[in-house]
Amino acid sequence: MNKAASTIPAVGIDLGTTYSVVACLDEQERPRSIVNGEGDLLTPSVVLFEGDQVIVGREAVKAMAVDADQVADCPKRFLGRRMYPRPLHGQEWPPEALEAWVLDKLRRDASRTVGNFRHAVITVPAYFDEVRRKATQDAGYMAGLDVLDIINEPTAAAVAFGMAEGFLDERGEAKRPINILVYDLGGGTFDVTVMRLEGGHFQTLSTDGDFQLGGKDWDQRLVDFVAAEFMKRYQVDPRDDLSAAARIWRECEEAKRTLSLRGKATIAADYQGNWIRLEITRAEFESMTRDLLERTTFTCREAISAAGLSWDDVDRVLLVGGSTRMPQVKEMLAELSGRAPDDSISPDEAVAHGAAIRAGAILAAHAGRPPRLKIRNVNSHSLGVVGKDPKTLRSRTGILIPRNTPLPASATRTFRTQKADQRSILLQIVEGENPDPIYNSQVGRCTVPNLPKGLPAGQPILVSFEYEENGRLSVHVRVEGTDVELAHELNRENSLAQADLDRYRKQISGLPPQVIALATPI
Ligand code: AMP
């Protein structure tokens, strides 16, 4: 066995929208969450810029009440955009660099428990597109990590529950084939994934989600309720002031947690010297948030039908994400699925635990031991290129790999040149289901130059995609009847150049650029 690999700790990181969790495998290969520098298992994914200092976690959350404009709250929500919406400390930040500050804190804190480590598996929501996966990987790099793999949060949760609840044996294999639904409602994102576990194979059958829906939206309903009372009584809106709004939000979030345990809670708030104290019952809270819950119900139904299953085929429903502690979630799922959901692992920790198990499997493979888990994913969004409808001349999405196709997948589709003597082709790669490409997200573009002179209109162009399990896409273009061929290095829009990554890596983790050696998925 490779000695070096065997001493590397198996670390998994759940880089959550609101909170992040780190876990590692202990000597018996059981996952354990690791406390951070403050002694907590959950680190708020919030970044404060204070003078020259960057502070992540609990202290940054506190600062939101007094210094909100210097705080990056939930940068994960903005992954895929070029920049975080506001400058911080006079500097514009790409969201992945803010995520890197979070990861850097997690790495430093966890090092105190497991020793200095570099390698980690990081999780992402299953429906994260190619751009957001790459941004997460880049965040890991900038934080000084060697990212072993990016895996889907529901897959990680299924692995952790499976090990803990005994529907997987100690080799990580399902004792009998089972179908599970993972319902993950975190602070800022929601997703639902239907998986089939057969032996050591974890196959995602379908995945769906809403990356703008989470516990924060439930909080916001309470904030709006408090603000409405303020306006009624004092004709002022505390939401106009960032810091006052942040203070009220903290009160409301606290009240929401109380309502998961008790039938009523009180919310006290002040603004411009005015005070209010409100009482709210669980029934009132549930009624003011019913539409949010129904959005998740709808997504669950869609995911079940996309998987080609009925509720009778679902053996287990797993709860992931802190917001599944709300009784309304469990009740809705019990009614929908006809079975009580599994909640034996803390919904905050399951994902990090599964990531640590995955890290252990990868490191074992590197050390020459047989792989334990085989994870088969599907793509969560269709991938295609922008083409022109020859009849209407309107731009249309030409899908090559439809969503929910098992990965790795490859596909070829024929397009045609539009006019005679066309000398180049612009290939725009998009991700999404909409026939109109405007509504899909741009993954990248490439140009095929130097077509030979004199080609007729309608010359066939064969476009091939190869989409790997880790979400990497390679594109191949061949113009029929010519020797023009292009194997494309995807030029992702909104993605940082290597020089920028290295610069941020130095600034954030203090580490020099690195060539990554170990990041080969098994
Ligand atoms: P996660 O991103 O999975 O860590 O989930 C964090 C979200 O879970 C936040 O919106 C929290 O407010 C919410 N949360 C945590 N505990 C509870 C609870 N007991 N009741 C309701 N929501 C909770």
Side-chain angles (χ1 to χ4, degrees):
M1 188 205 293
N2 173 338
K3 183 127 192 323
S6 72
T7 55
I8 298 174
V11 177
I13 300 177
D14 170 10
L15 183 61
T17 309
T18 40
Y19 294 97
S20 295
V21 181
V22 184
C24 71
L25 296 187
D26 66 13
E27 270 117 51
Q28 280 78 45
E29 306 228 338
R30 281 177 314 216
R32 294 276 172 265
S33 304
I34 302 174
V35 291
N36 64 15
E38 294 78 51
D40 301 326
L41 290 178
L42 274 62
T43 303
S45 310
V46 178
V47 188
L48 162 71
F49 289 79
E50 195 178 63
D52 286 343
Q53 267 197 312
V54 180
I55 298 157
V56 174
R58 207 206 283 174
E59 288 305 309
V61 174
K62 278 195 206 150
M64 274 166 68
V66 286
D67 211 4
D69 54 350
Q70 288 311 318
V71 176
D73 177 20
C74 303
K76 182 170 170 179
R77 274 193 171 188
F78 300 95
L79 282 181
R81 294 205 199 162
R82 215 173 63 74
M83 288 293 167
Y84 190 71
R86 283 180 286 117
L88 295 146
H89 192 47
Q91 190 182 333
E92 296 250 44
W93 289 91
E96 56 266 52
L98 297 170
E99 288 281 80
W101 282 114
V102 177
L103 285 169
D104 181 64
K105 146 104 176 151
L106 300 174
R107 178 179 64 78
R108 285 173 196 269
D109 285 5
S111 291
R112 300 193 209 181
T113 308
V114 300
N116 226 346
F117 73 96
R118 288 269 176 278
H119 302 98
V121 167
I122 304 178
T123 58
V124 292
Y127 59 86
F128 250 26
D129 59 18
E130 159 73 5
V131 175
R132 292 183 186 91
R133 279 167 204 269
K134 169 72 167 62
T136 305
Q137 183 142 17
D138 288 346
Y141 177 78
M142 289 185 273
L145 290 167
D146 183 343
V147 182
L148 287 170
D149 200 4
I150 299 276
I151 64 165
N152 291 340
E153 290 161 7
T155 305
V159 170
F161 271 101
M163 293 287 196
E165 298 217 335
F167 60 82
L168 299 181
D169 62 20
E170 70 287 352
R171 290 174 50 228
E173 299 199 353
K175 293 177 178 163
R176 62 178 180 84
I178 56 169
N179 297 320
I180 59 179
L181 178 131
V182 182
Y183 178 101
D184 183 351
L185 186 60
T189 56
F190 167 66
D191 58 87
V192 53
T193 303
V194 181
M195 300 178 75
R196 181 162 180 81
L197 275 52
E198 217 168 343
H201 288 263
F202 288 63
Q203 189 181 354
T204 304
L205 300 178
S206 69
T207 184
D208 207 336
D210 188 338
F211 74 92
Q212 298 291 3
L213 180 68
K216 288 227 145 204
D217 298 290
W218 270 258
D219 303 340
Q220 190 61 44
R221 291 291 162 89
L222 288 176
V223 171
D224 292 344
F225 167 69
V226 172
E229 276 303 308
F230 251 107
M231 289 199 287
K232 207 156 57 185
R233 290 192 208 171
Y234 305 110
Q235 290 75 50
V236 286
D237 187 344
R239 290 170 300 188
D240 291 341
D241 178 79
L242 267 183
S243 296
R247 274 200 308 279
I248 293 176
W249 169 72
R250 269 176 65 182
E251 282 287 328
C252 289
E253 205 252 358
E254 207 45 59
K256 177 185 75 172
R257 288 173 189 252
T258 303
L259 290 171
S260 293
L261 296 170
R262 300 202 200 110
K264 62 183 178 198
T266 45
I267 307 172
D270 71 292
Y271 178 52
Q272 292 182 340
N274 301 311
W275 259 94
I276 54 172
R277 198 178 157 80
L278 300 168
E279 189 166 276
I280 179 158
T281 65
R282 185 188 288 170
E284 284 167 334
F285 176 58
E286 289 182 353
S287 119
M288 68 173 73
T289 55
R290 182 144 299 133
D291 59 310
L292 300 174
L293 187 70
E294 276 167 7
R295 268 162 72 182
T296 75
T297 315
F298 176 79
T299 310
C300 287
R301 289 206 180 99
E302 294 271 293
I304 288 290
S305 96
L309 301 179
S310 73
W311 285 104
D312 289 341
D313 303 317
V314 177
D315 300 290
R316 281 173 182 271
V317 176
L318 310 185
L319 294 180
V320 180
S323 302
T324 59
R325 290 202 175 90
M326 292 188 290
Q328 51 179 298
V329 169
K330 288 183 200 162
E331 284 157 19
M332 178 277 285
L333 283 169
E335 198 175 308
L336 196 64
S337 69
R339 58 184 46 76
D342 289 17
D343 57 0
S344 60
I345 309 188
S346 146
D348 308 305
E349 294 171 76
V351 170
H353 285 196
I357 296 169
R358 171 71 171 157
I362 295 172
L363 291 170
H366 279 281
R369 300 204 298 268
R372 209 161 67 155
L373 305 170
K374 291 192 188 69
I375 297 175
R376 198 133 197 243
N377 283 327
V378 294
N379 62 331
S380 49
H381 301 270
S382 304
L383 277 167
V385 298
V386 179
K388 273 226 158 66
D389 184 325
K391 289 195 199 97
T392 61
L393 291 181
R394 292 263 259 319
S395 290
R396 305 307 280 165
T397 309
I399 291 176
L400 274 88
I401 305 181
R403 71 190 290 224
N404 290 327
T405 306
L407 301 181
S410 54
T412 301
R413 198 169 155 170
T414 306
F415 296 84
R416 288 172 192 281
T417 50
Q418 278 163 32
K419 48 184 199 260
D421 202 25
Q422 187 169 328
R423 300 305 306 281
S424 68
I425 304 161
L426 171 68
L427 205 67
Q428 280 175 277
I429 299 144
V430 288
E431 206 171 34
E433 282 64 51
N434 203 301
D436 187 339
I438 288 198
Y439 299 105
N440 296 326
S441 63
Q442 301 283 326
V443 176
R445 60 176 74 206
C446 62
T447 310
V448 186
N450 305 331
L451 301 193
K453 279 190 183 154
L455 286 179
Q459 184 75 14
I461 308 159
L462 290 127
V463 178
S464 306
F465 279 5
E466 230 165 87
Y467 198 46
E468 292 164 42
E469 273 194 275
N470 58 6
R472 311 254 59 94
L473 175 71
S474 38
V475 182
H476 187 266
V477 187
R478 190 163 67 79
V479 183
E480 218 170 73
T482 73
D483 53 7
V484 176
E485 265 190 66
L486 181 98
H488 184 54
E489 289 283 316
L490 240 169
N491 211 354
R492 276 171 215 88
E493 267 136 52
N494 296 349
S495 183
L496 293 173
Q498 189 59 43
D500 293 325
L501 293 177
D502 290 341
R503 189 166 48 79
Y504 283 119
R505 180 178 162 99
K506 183 97 192 55
Q507 182 181 4
I508 295 168
S509 69
L511 292 167
Q514 198 200 3
V515 181
I516 292 169
L518 201 68
T520 331
I522 49 174

